[in-house]
């Protein structure tokens, strides 16, 4: 969906800026935790790696909505597009993912859609361990819409992402409730009739 949605509006446009013009990076705030450190922690807040949720930890470094882009390891898909994670709430990130938000009119959501439509294979370095460093990331040529065009795009996609976050949070809440109730139902501690 994200790929075709952006392409319908902007695919014919020539790049007119650099990714560095529209992103703010928070990589300096990353703190890696070893598996041994994480094992001793309460499992409260998500702990993200380059491509996925890896674990849960007892503290968080970030609170809000951010975009994570794989920095090393699996950084692109088979077509050359970046590996992205759209995350929100309180969470921790290790040092294998770039952490960013949009700026100059770009929201996290419009940045997500832009990057889902931007092939980045030309900026990947490393033969054995693939890597996208900050300098290369910032140098990517992109099309930056005019303010009014970008505002219209943002107002179109914001409700979609709001709904996505709400549905995901509801699923998490229902999963937690199920996990708490199911063992009690199975053991007979509570019954359906209760």
């Amino acid at each position: 969906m994200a790929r075709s949605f952006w392409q319908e509006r902007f695919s014919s446009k020539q790049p007119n800026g650099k990714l560095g013009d529209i992103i703010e990076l928070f990589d300096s705030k990353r703190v890696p935790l070893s598996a041994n450190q994480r094992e001793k922690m309460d499992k409260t807040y998500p702990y993200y790696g380059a491509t996925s949720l890896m674990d849960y930890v007892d503290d968080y470094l970030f609170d809000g909505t951010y975009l994570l882009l794989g920095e090393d390891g699996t950084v692109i898909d088979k077509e050359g597009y970046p590996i992205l994670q759209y995350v929100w709430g309180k969470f921790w990130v290790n040092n294998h993912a770039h952490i960013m938000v949009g700026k100059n009119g770009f929201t996290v959501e419009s940045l997500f859609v832009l990057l889902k439509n931007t092939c980045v294979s030309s900026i990947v370095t490393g033969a054995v361990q693939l890597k996208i460093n900050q300098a290369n990331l910032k140098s990517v040529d992109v099309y930056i819409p005019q303010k009014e065009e970008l505002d219209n795009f943002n107002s179109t996609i914001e409700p979609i992402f709001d709904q996505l976050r709400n549905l995901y949070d509801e699923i998490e809440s229902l999963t937690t409730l199920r996990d708490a109730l199911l063992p009690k139902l199975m053991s007979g501690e509570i019954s359906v009739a209760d």
Side-chain angles (χ1 to χ4, degrees), residues 5-6 9-10 105-111 113 146-163:
F5 196 69
W6 181 268
R9 286 153 182 81
F10 307 121
F106 273 82
T107 63
V108 173
E109 293 76 17
S110 53
L111 186 60
V113 175
Q146 296 295 317
K147 181 184 180 342
E148 182 179 339
E149 193 177 27
L150 185 56
D151 288 347
N152 287 338
F153 185 76
N154 286 335
S155 68
T156 300
I157 65 170
E158 286 299 318
I160 297 167
F161 280 89
D162 286 345
Q163 182 73 2

Side-chain angles (χ1 to χ4, degrees), residues 164-184:
L164 178 131
R165 288 190 307 272
N166 289 336
L167 289 172
Y168 184 84
D169 290 344
E170 188 173 331
I171 289 167
E172 287 293 305
S173 177
L174 291 170
T175 300
T176 300
L177 182 61
R178 178 205 63 202
D179 292 348
L181 291 176
L182 191 57
K184 292 179 181 187

Side-chain angles (χ1 to χ4, degrees), residues 46-125:
Y47 178 80
Y48 292 98
T51 62
S52 65
L53 173 66
M54 294 179 59
D55 202 349
Y56 287 85
V57 294
D58 63 7
D59 202 358
Y60 61 92
L61 298 173
F62 298 93
D63 186 3
T65 303
Y66 292 84
L67 186 60
L68 308 181
L69 184 145
E71 180 178 3
D72 51 41
T74 304
V75 297
I76 56 174
D77 65 19
K78 64 182 184 220
E79 297 170 349
Y81 293 92
I83 301 296
L84 301 172
Q85 297 177 80
Y86 176 75
V87 298
W88 62 94
K90 296 174 180 174
F91 59 93
W92 193 296
V93 179
N94 72 15
N95 60 336
H96 298 288
H98 294 294
I99 304 134
M100 66 183 86
V101 296
K103 66 179 184 182
N104 294 329
F106 273 82
T107 63
V108 173
E109 293 76 17
S110 53
L111 186 60
F112 174 85
V113 175
L114 167 74
L115 285 167
K116 275 290 190 189
N117 288 278
T118 304
C119 183
V120 296
S121 58
S122 65
I123 65 163
V124 176
T125 59

